[in-house]
């Protein structure tokens, strides 16, 4: 019955359950090769982004006054279902940030501000076989941030190649 519950929650919340979805791979020791471009975002609550899901004005208005913003907020919140959607969005972001900020789940990220690419780096290490290869496209802020010492030192131990690209043509 728990497996059914886990699958149901995963489907409802839209997340991947590594241990269940790749049980056969982990039974053999993990992935030999992982390639990815993890999201470079922080799970921050941005109310205007949530409001914009219901009224694009919140994404398009350029430096609105407080009065304009307050008026538009009241109007959009008066629409049926919007308030619960906003509350749900805030709740989801807070829960995701708490989970991704957990030092018991992500010990190499202790003392750092959550950024999904860092969580993904650590997750690939867990998912890898002992000699597995991980290839990711991501920012390199963890190589220079003072608080990222644990992540950085562990990354250097695993680093085989490092390339930097500059998109000069944009």
């Amino acid at each position: 019955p728990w497996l059914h519950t886990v699958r149901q929650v995963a489907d409802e919340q839209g997340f991947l359950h590594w241990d269940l979805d790749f049980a056969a791979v982990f039974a053999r020791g993990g992935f030999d090769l992982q390639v990815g471009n993890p999201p470079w975002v922080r799970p921050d609550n941005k109310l205007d982004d949530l409001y914009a899901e219901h009224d694009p004005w919140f994404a398009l208005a350029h430096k609105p006054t407080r009065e304009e913003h307050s008026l538009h907020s009241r109007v959009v919140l008066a629409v049926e279902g919007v308030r619960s959607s906003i509350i749900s969005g805030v709740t989801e972001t807070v829960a995701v940030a708490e989970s991704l900020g957990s030092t018991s789940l992500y010990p190499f990220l202790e003392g750092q501000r959550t950024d999904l690419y860092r969580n993904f780096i650590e997750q690939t290490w867990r998912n890898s076989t002992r000699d597995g290869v991980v290839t990711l496209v991501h920012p390199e802020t963890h190589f220079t941030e003072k608080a990222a010492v644990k992540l950085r030192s562990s990354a250097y131990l695993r680093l085989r190649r490092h390339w930097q690209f500059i998109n000069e043509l944009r």
Side-chain angles (χ1 to χ4, degrees), residues 127-159:
N127 294 348
S128 186
T129 59
R130 190 174 64 78
D131 296 322
V133 174
V134 176
T135 302
L136 299 174
V137 176
H138 59 75
E140 53 184 30
T141 53
H142 63 285
F143 287 126
T144 56
E145 276 183 23
K146 187 175 182 178
V149 67
K150 281 182 164 181
L151 182 64
R152 178 174 45 258
S153 60
S154 193
Y156 278 131
L157 291 173
R158 294 170 167 84
L159 191 62

Side-chain angles (χ1 to χ4, degrees), residues 32-35 121 124-125 128 132-136:
D32 293 320
L33 174 65
Q34 297 172 83
V35 178
I121 288 172
T124 61
W125 294 344
S128 186
V133 174
V134 176
T135 302
L136 299 174

Side-chain angles (χ1 to χ4, degrees), residues 7 20 22 53 72 75 82 99 105 120 126 130 135 144 157 159-160 162 164 166:
R7 290 242 183 250
L20 294 177
F22 298 104
E53 292 291 322
H72 275 83
V75 169
V82 171
S99 176
L105 293 174
F120 201 87
R126 273 195 300 275
R130 190 174 64 78
T135 302
T144 56
L157 291 173
L159 191 62
R160 295 183 189 179
H162 176 259
Q164 252 183 319
I166 299 172

Side-chain angles (χ1 to χ4, degrees), residues 111-129:
Q112 298 173 62
R113 185 163 178 234
T114 302
D115 191 316
L116 292 179
Y117 92 85
R118 295 174 192 224
N119 293 90
F120 201 87
I121 288 172
E122 191 167 338
Q123 184 68 46
T124 61
W125 294 344
R126 273 195 300 275
N127 294 348
S128 186
T129 59

Side-chain angles (χ1 to χ4, degrees), residues 12-124:
E12 288 171 5
Q13 297 297 317
F15 66 84
L16 177 71
H17 198 296
W18 290 97
D19 295 331
L20 294 177
D21 292 330
F22 298 104
V25 173
F26 292 122
R28 292 190 312 265
F31 290 95
D32 293 320
L33 174 65
Q34 297 172 83
V35 178
N37 183 357
W40 310 350
V41 295
R42 293 183 164 152
D44 295 335
N45 267 314
K46 298 175 183 167
L47 282 176
D48 281 351
D49 291 349
L50 293 171
Y51 283 131
E53 292 291 322
H54 304 281
D55 182 347
W57 179 88
F58 290 93
L60 301 174
H62 182 69
K63 297 184 180 180
T65 65
R66 282 188 202 199
E67 292 79 20
E68 290 174 318
H69 192 279
S70 179
L71 174 65
H72 275 83
S73 297
R74 285 194 306 274
V75 169
V76 78
L77 285 172
V79 175
E80 185 177 333
V82 171
R83 186 176 302 274
S84 64
S85 172
I86 301 292
I87 291 170
S88 177
V90 169
T91 303
E92 181 179 321
T93 303
V94 168
V96 166
E98 278 298 311
S99 176
L100 295 176
S102 166
T103 56
S104 62
L105 293 174
Y106 298 98
F108 294 106
L109 304 183
E110 184 177 0
Q112 298 173 62
R113 185 163 178 234
T114 302
D115 191 316
L116 292 179
Y117 92 85
R118 295 174 192 224
N119 293 90
F120 201 87
I121 288 172
E122 191 167 338
Q123 184 68 46
T124 61

